[in-house]
Amino acid sequence: TIVVTDFENHDAGIVERHKIVSSAIEESFSELLEGKLSPKEYNKIAEVSSSQNNALIIELRSSKAPEDWQETYVNRIGSLENFSSYIIETMVMSNIIENGEDEKKDEVLRKLEELKLESINYAKMAESSKPWVNTRNTMLNSWKSLNGDFVIITHNVRE
């Protein structure tokens, strides 16, 4: 059981570990496509990366995120699940290369791009749904008026 108390740092750690896994897959997949890595070698790397990615998903699911972090965590899981499908599809491509089924490559490459885009979109939604995003983009100032009432002045901050 993983006990998480700092959900912002936990999410940031998940993002950083995912970057390591995705970089390893992207680099190895490029080497596979260039013929620098055999399909069998690639599949071993992909299986390890898939296992690491699944561990991130399990960690997020078992973290018991509070309500204000739920949307971020659900979107982060969506991103990782799409990346998991991406890894599986790269293994399909590896098998296509190994079997010399060149006519299937374009279809798989299209599917890979779709999965990558979905993963990125979920990651963007996870970032934009963090509880502090709304407060970071809006500055609130309280001023006491002459008659003792508080007045809230809202100013949108543009980055």
Side-chain angles (χ1 to χ4, degrees):
T1 303
I2 299 168
V3 178
V4 178
T5 56
D6 183 345
F7 292 92
E8 183 176 356
N9 282 327
H10 180 246
D11 183 59
I14 295 283
V15 169
E16 289 306 313
R17 287 183 281 159
H18 173 68
K19 285 180 186 176
I20 294 167
V21 174
S22 64
S23 292
I25 277 292
E26 292 297 329
E27 184 178 316
S28 299
F29 188 61
S30 290
E31 290 177 5
L32 171 73
L33 294 177
E34 294 167 4
K36 296 178 183 176
L37 200 61
S38 76
K40 287 182 182 178
E41 292 171 317
Y42 177 78
N43 285 343
K44 287 179 187 175
I45 294 166
E47 286 171 7
V48 169
S49 295
S50 180
S51 177
Q52 292 169 332
N53 192 69
N54 287 336
L56 295 175
I57 293 169
I58 291 167
E59 188 176 326
L60 284 169
R61 284 193 174 131
S62 64
S63 68
K64 299 181 181 170
E67 188 175 330
D68 58 337
W69 280 94
Q70 285 290 317
E71 188 176 353
T72 297
Y73 274 51
V74 166
N75 285 321
R76 186 76 62 211
I77 290 168
S79 175
L80 294 172
E81 287 175 339
N82 273 278
F83 189 72
S84 196
S85 296
Y86 177 86
I87 294 171
I88 291 167
E89 205 62 27
T90 65
M91 294 173 76
V92 168
M93 177 63 88
S94 177
N95 292 333
I96 286 171
I97 291 169
E98 187 172 43
N99 297 330
E101 301 171 305
D102 291 346
E103 69 280 359
K104 296 181 180 178
K105 284 183 179 179
D106 288 340
E107 179 185 337
V108 173
L109 287 172
R110 274 191 296 279
K111 188 168 184 179
L112 283 168
E113 284 304 313
E114 289 173 15
L115 291 168
K116 186 188 285 188
L117 184 60
E118 277 294 308
S119 181
I120 291 168
N121 285 338
Y122 272 108
K124 287 178 181 177
M125 288 188 293
E127 289 301 315
S128 68
S129 61
K130 288 182 179 181
W132 54 266
V133 169
N134 292 331
T135 58
R136 188 183 76 172
N137 293 332
T138 303
M139 192 169 70
L140 298 176
N141 294 311
S142 295
W143 298 90
K144 193 169 185 176
S145 69
L146 292 175
N147 65 0
D149 296 326
F150 279 93
V151 177
I152 305 292
I153 300 171
T154 304
H155 174 70
N156 288 328
V157 178
R158 304 228 187 259
E159 292 182 4

